[in-house]
Amino acid sequence: MPEALRPLVEWALGQVAIHRVWAFCDVDNLASARVLEKLGMEREGILRRWFVHPNVSAFPRDCYSYSLVKGGA
């Protein structure tokens, strides 16, 4: 999966107007978290009760927030 997402992330950060890409995944979805980390994204924190994953729960669940930002000032 990182191989499929890497070109998209590189393209996005190659755009002049885009300075940051971000993603989130359920805190229990360790496979997705690992994919984001393999892309070089850094975990920023936990978004409390952020998103409803219908296949897991009818209620909003906590999610990890990840981002990758362009270098420079």
Side-chain angles (χ1 to χ4, degrees), residues 31-48:
S32 290
R34 184 68 189 127
V35 167
L36 297 175
E37 290 166 1
K38 282 184 177 181
L39 289 171
M41 296 184 126
E42 294 184 38
R43 187 182 299 172
E44 294 185 323
I46 296 177
L47 302 165
R48 298 289 178 199

Side-chain angles (χ1 to χ4, degrees), residues 4-55:
L5 291 175
R6 192 173 322 284
L8 178 62
V9 170
E10 289 172 356
W11 174 85
L13 290 177
Q15 304 304 302
V16 174
I18 298 176
H19 301 278
R20 178 181 197 274
V21 293
W22 72 281
F24 66 90
C25 66
D26 191 275
V27 295
D28 291 334
N29 191 337
L30 301 180
S32 290
R34 184 68 189 127
V35 167
L36 297 175
E37 290 166 1
K38 282 184 177 181
L39 289 171
M41 296 184 126
E42 294 184 38
R43 187 182 299 172
E44 294 185 323
I46 296 177
L47 302 165
R48 298 289 178 199
R49 297 182 56 82
W50 179 255
F51 194 78
V52 175
H53 303 275
N55 57 324

